[in-house]
Every structure is written in C-alpha cells, then in structure tokens.
Amino acid sequence: MSSTSAVHSALAPYGWDDDWADAFAPHAAEGLLPGRVVRVDRGQCDVVTADGVVRADTAFVTPHDPLRVVCTGDWVAVEAGGNPRYVRTYLPRRTAFVRSTSSKRSDGQILAANVDHAVVAVSLAVKLDLGRVERFLALAWESGAQPVVVLTKTDLVADPVSLAHLVQDVEHSAPGVPVLGVSAHTGDGLDVLRALIGSGTTVLLGQSGAGKSTLANALVGEDVMDVRAARDVDGKGRHTTTTRNLLALPGGGVLIDTPGLRGVGLYDAESGVGQVFAEIEELAGRCRFHDCAHESEPGCAVLAAVDSGELAVRRLDSYRKLVRENQWIVAKTDARVRAELRREWKRRGAEGKAAMDAKRGRWS
C-alpha cells in the first residue's frame, strides 16, 4: 500500500477526500503529515493521523485573531516527528461555526470547523424556548452547515398528540429544517437521525442539560462522553463536556460534541437570520418602501401579515431582536457600519418625533 493510499485509508473515516488531499499537496512536499483535530486543550491539540492520534502544540498557529486559531474539526499539517510536535498550519475551512463572545469587544469565537450538519439539541424536559431555537439556527445557517433540530427526551412526553404539537411548533420556527423527536433512553428516532447525519461531519449544539452527551453516546454506540443528571427545577445540567471532541461514528461520518452554551451571541449572521425568518424576508420584499423597518410604515406587508394572522407576533418580535443584535455586533467591529447605523437611528428618531408632534397638533 502506498503512503498516499495509507493516508486515505486511515483518514477517510474522518472526512478526508481527494479535495483535501489536493489542498494538502504543498505541505506534503515539505514532509508534513495531514491530520484532523479531534480535541483542543490549552494550546495543545490531539490530531488523528495515519500514524494514529498524536499530541501537537499550536504555538505556530496562534494569531491575535481568535477566528484563526486551531479548532476541533480543522485539517492541519503536523510535523512528522519531534518532541513536542507542532501544528504548522491548517487548511482553508469549508465551513465554520462562530458565535460572539461575551467580551465588550464582541470578538468572534470559532466553535467547530468543516461541519456539514449542525444538530441543535432541545430538551423536552423544560418548556420550549422557540426564540433560543431561532438563535441557534441563525448561527447554524450562517456557518454553511445544514441545521437539524432534535427534540431530546421525548420519553418524558407521554401523549403522542402533545409531542406532535411540540414538533409542529418548532417546525413553524424552523423553515427548511428537519425537526426530529428523539429519545436516547428508548432509542426512538435514533435511526432517522443516523440516516440524516450518516455522512460528513456533524456538530452537536445546545444548552447544558439538553442531552447532547447522552445523544452522542447513543450515536457512537458506547459511553464515550460523561453524563450527569439535569436539575429538575429548570432542566439545566452542569458542563459535563468541557472541550469540543470529534468522534468517529460506527455507521459513517463524524460527530463533534460541544460544551453546553449558556450564551449564544450572533456574530455577523445577517444571512443566517434571513434564512431562519425566510417568510418575513419574503414579505419584506412586498413592502412599499425598500428600507421599511416594519414598525409603523404605511404599506408594510409584514405588519399586514401580522394583522391578518398570517404571521405570529412572536416571530416578528424575535426577528426584530436578532436583526438589532446582529447590527450592533457588526457595528462594533466596522466603523462604516456603525456610522450608518447611527444615522439610521437618528432618522427613525426624527420621524417618530415628527409623528408625535403631528398627533399633538391634531389633539390641541
């Protein structure tokens, strides 16, 4: 077996293909080894290579830009030997899942790279938070991956009719996204999920307590992730998963399990928000004014849809919230956008004041 075929045989289960091989060719000529990052921890990472899993230092790939650090799912070029070994670079990412950090600068934080499917795990042990589902989906769409919503712990919903209504509620908030009910405890729905993610790379997302690690164990077929019980009062769990781990699935494909996310801030996710609220974007195209804010403008097709019952008020409120948040994040990092946003806010403020003055004139 040639070295090339040996590399392909060893790495194909982790997503290696001819396109990755072509992209890696210049690094192979330098004597570097290809591998995929399965875990990152404090400047070190575990990389699966044709020689097995090796530990490597990322000191050569630690720029000031947090979006360019090595992350789980990256394909990297690793030194063939040495103690310690070093990652020299990573290959251009096909997709990247990014959220905004909680810092005042609102830097982006990359959670996983080269992902094909983004599974948003939502626990049915607590009341559905559709706004949070929409937030996760906006980030998933923006990443370039295909989102899937998995309603976990369906065994806690005894009534099939109630479960069907819950699935339907999420479907209305997730246009174009498969919504599955799954129980890792009973196995219900797992076969359908396996069929959906049986190829490519899948990242598991959700709050702590959503059942991600339990679901990961069920998909892998063994207890590879630590699991702890969620609190009964709110269904939240502790961070049993503290790093992002890439796991090969027995039926094909790979899975990246992530720690529970308390904060899910948008990061330049305009197109992702647009896809989550596709029906609102379509209605907006029919508004009289191209810059309609869907607040009180005449000829607003979005407000007309709310009045007729075609569009739920909750959906419009959620859309407005995510649009404003995304605009603010972008403005924080882009001076030109920040200036435009301020002008827009002043314009709307002036229009609102003029409208109130006109009303007072009619009342006096």
Side-chain angles (χ1 to χ4, degrees):
M1 182 183 290
S2 69
S3 60
T4 300
S5 58
V7 167
H8 184 84
S9 177
L11 297 183
Y14 293 90
W16 186 256
D17 57 29
D18 290 341
D19 289 336
W20 286 123
D22 289 343
F24 192 81
H27 307 297
E30 298 175 6
L32 299 173
L33 299 178
R36 194 164 196 193
V37 177
V38 297
R39 183 172 178 267
V40 178
D41 180 24
R42 298 178 183 177
Q44 302 279 318
C45 63
D46 294 332
V47 183
V48 60
T49 72
D51 295 337
V53 177
V54 302
R55 187 75 167 165
D57 195 300
T58 65
F60 284 100
V61 198
T62 54
H64 294 298
D65 184 352
L67 296 181
R68 300 181 65 186
V69 300
V70 172
C71 76
T72 303
D74 271 328
W75 286 100
V76 296
V78 185
E79 293 175 342
N83 186 22
R85 290 193 184 194
Y86 287 94
V87 172
R88 288 293 175 174
T89 189
Y90 62 82
L91 299 184
R93 294 160 177 157
R94 293 177 181 175
T95 62
F97 192 94
V98 180
R99 69 164 176 175
S100 176
T101 66
S102 57
S103 70
K104 292 182 179 179
R105 293 180 300 173
S106 296
D107 295 324
Q109 178 190 17
I110 184 164
L111 301 180
N114 303 311
V115 172
D116 301 292
H117 311 284
V119 170
V120 179
V122 181
S123 173
L124 292 182
V126 293
K127 183 179 179 180
L128 276 177
D129 185 343
L130 295 176
R132 181 167 288 272
V133 173
E134 290 159 346
R135 178 179 293 272
F136 270 109
L137 289 175
L139 292 175
W141 278 123
E142 191 68 32
S143 75
Q146 167 63 52
V148 179
V149 177
V150 171
L151 303 181
T152 65
K153 308 181 184 182
T154 56
D155 52 288
L156 299 180
V157 183
D159 181 15
V161 175
S162 297
L163 178 59
H165 284 313
L166 289 170
V167 171
Q168 189 176 55
D169 286 344
V170 177
E171 286 176 338
H172 289 158
S173 299
V177 176
V179 179
L180 308 177
V182 171
S183 170
H185 178 66
T186 66
D188 289 346
L190 282 175
D191 288 344
V192 179
L193 179 58
R194 287 192 185 100
L196 273 176
I197 65 171
S199 62
T201 299
T202 299
V203 62
L204 270 177
L205 306 163
Q207 289 182 287
S208 54
K212 299 187 305 301
S213 294
T214 303
L215 186 58
N217 288 339
L219 291 170
V220 174
E222 57 181 298
D223 291 341
V224 293
M225 303 303 298
D226 186 24
V227 175
R228 299 179 190 172
R231 299 191 301 238
D232 291 336
V233 63
D234 57 9
K236 293 182 180 179
R238 290 169 289 178
H239 286 321
T240 54
T241 302
T242 56
T243 58
R244 287 167 279 282
N245 301 277
L246 188 146
L247 312 164
L249 297 175
V254 293
L255 182 71
I256 299 175
D257 189 19
T258 65
L261 300 176
R262 290 192 181 95
V264 195
L266 300 186
Y267 186 80
D268 197 5
E270 180 180 358
S271 64
V273 172
Q275 285 181 278
V276 174
F277 298 94
E279 79 279 29
I280 297 180
E281 295 275 301
E282 182 180 354
L283 287 167
R286 306 178 204 162
C287 292
R288 182 182 301 175
F289 304 109
H290 76 278
D291 59 347
C292 183
H294 322 304
E295 297 286 352
S296 58
E297 296 86 347
C300 176
V302 174
L303 295 179
V306 171
D307 291 340
S308 69
E310 178 186 352
L311 177 65
V313 173
R314 189 207 66 79
R315 280 283 281 175
L316 179 56
D317 288 343
S318 183
Y319 172 74
R320 286 169 173 162
K321 180 179 180 180
L322 294 186
V323 167
R324 284 195 299 266
E325 178 182 328
N326 192 66
Q327 288 176 335
W328 177 242
I329 292 296
V330 172
K332 275 184 154 184
T333 56
D334 190 317
R336 179 185 57 81
V337 172
R338 184 163 58 246
E340 290 178 354
L341 195 57
R342 284 174 177 165
R343 285 195 294 271
E344 178 66 11
W345 286 344
K346 286 182 179 179
R347 181 183 67 81
R348 291 183 185 175
E351 289 177 351
K353 183 177 183 300
M356 289 302 298
D357 289 344
K359 287 182 179 179
R360 291 192 187 100
R362 288 197 299 270
W363 293 337
S364 59

